[in-house]
Amino acid sequence: MEREVVRKVYENAKVAIENFPKGVYVEWRDGFFVGVNYTNETINLPIPAGSKILVGQNPLEPAQAVIWK
């Protein structure tokens, strides 16, 4: 329910939201994006062109992380 409430608030505020599969998380932290894949499938994250991947790689393999700026 919390997910749907937050989604509705963002939609009403016209804030873009990503729809990642359950178990895939992307966060902005200290000037970097961090993506983590807790699923059993390879995931291709929407990393914008021109971004620099600092740690890891995209597509993101299961149980892996990627950090980009």
Side-chain angles (χ1 to χ4, degrees):
M1 183 168 136
E2 177 183 350
R3 177 182 171 132
E4 294 308 315
V5 169
V6 171
R7 181 173 294 281
K8 190 66 172 171
V9 168
Y10 277 47
E11 287 174 356
N12 289 342
K14 308 255 189 282
V15 175
I17 25 180
E18 296 288 344
N19 193 21
F20 298 114
K22 188 174 182 176
V24 175
Y25 302 94
V26 175
E27 294 185 20
W28 171 258
R29 177 175 273 177
D30 299 324
F32 302 95
F33 284 98
V34 179
V36 183
N37 182 3
Y38 291 111
T39 73
N40 292 326
E41 298 180 19
T42 300
I43 302 295
N44 191 16
L45 294 177
I47 297 176
S51 297
K52 182 176 181 182
I53 295 178
L54 305 171
V55 176
Q57 62 186 12
N58 193 33
L60 188 57
E61 298 292 328
Q64 297 294 311
V66 61
I67 300 172
W68 71 94
K69 187 170 185 170

